[in-house]
Amino acid sequence: MPDLARCLAEAYDIALPHRGKGKVADYIPALARVDPMRFGMALALPDGTLHVAGDADMPFSIQSVSKVFTLALALRRVGTGLWDSVGREPSGSAFNSIVQLESEAGIPRNPLINAGAIATTDRLIDGRDADVVTQEILDFVRARAGDDGVGIDLDVALSESQTGARNRSLAHFMDAFGTLRHPVETALGVYFRQCAIAMSCRQLARAGLFLAMAGRDPLTGEQLVEAHRARRINAIMMLCGHYDNSGEFAFRVGLPGKSGVGGGILCIAPGQGSIAVWSPGLDDAGTSLVGAIALEHFAYAAGWSVFD
Ligand code: GLU
């Protein structure tokens, strides 16, 4: 049994010299001004143990990592009917690509690209008020993090909306095909706010544990999604979690993960634990460059892979 605390510390040290590489997201001021030298890691284990390194307690914008939590909630609420609105194939395209939507009749490839996440959020709304649904997502994330201090950065949410022409285009395009069940602005009102949730690595690693433990939060004992659904969420993360870089991440890390343009990555080791990393410099596909290096080394040192 490897010493996991040591594996984490080693992975942190190996990735540390790469800080500052990559490009910090600059489409909104709140992300553009984040210090590119920040780097944190946290490892959550099912017995409640947490190992941390670096800036593990500094909140950052989780951005598209939020899509995983919304997917879990949507599957819980609408079940397999969700797949009428969104597929589960890798896209091989950028996070905000519109090209496939036209040839595939307005059904986005998967719930982790922007179009698919908007469609998933739309199904989660299920006739309810946007504020109620946003609060549901926040409450779920807070409960998983075991920390009511997790919040939505309303500055980020507002900037997302003000610069959201591309996401609005995706939503209107899907609306034209009849994919969305609610007004575009209702779905986007939730989507922009879920992207603006701010969390630390410590909170995020803890929040991902239910996906590592067959849908059951090992610390509260709650069965949050059925085991087969947790497996499928992990499968989608594996194949689609890093947009057109998902194959590379699977090859290097060998674990399901989801990136966000804030520089966070949530990585799930089924049956073992959950790892969150954060460093703002991104590769071309929008995945944290330092974060991916750290995860590659951690997974290798710990001997964690879904391909054993
Ligand atoms: N808020 C970003 C967007 O919708 C999220 C993209 C990401 O984190 O990959 O454009």
Side-chain angles (χ1 to χ4, degrees), residues 16-33:
L16 199 64
H18 297 276
R19 280 180 315 160
K21 289 186 187 165
K23 190 172 177 301
V24 177
D26 59 2
Y27 69 98
I28 57 173
L31 292 185
R33 61 173 172 260

Side-chain angles (χ1 to χ4, degrees), residues 27-28 31 61-65 67 95-96 112 114 118 156 160 163 166-167 170 191-192 195-196 241 243 258-263 282 285-287:
Y27 69 98
I28 57 173
L31 292 185
S61 193
I62 68 166
Q63 292 292 325
S64 287
V65 179
K67 293 169 180 171
F95 65 99
N96 56 6
L112 300 183
N114 284 15
I118 294 165
V156 172
E160 292 283 344
T163 59
R166 187 91 182 204
N167 285 322
L170 296 171
Y191 175 77
F192 289 140
C195 284
Y243 313 118
K258 180 71 203 94
S259 63
V261 291
L282 307 175
T287 298

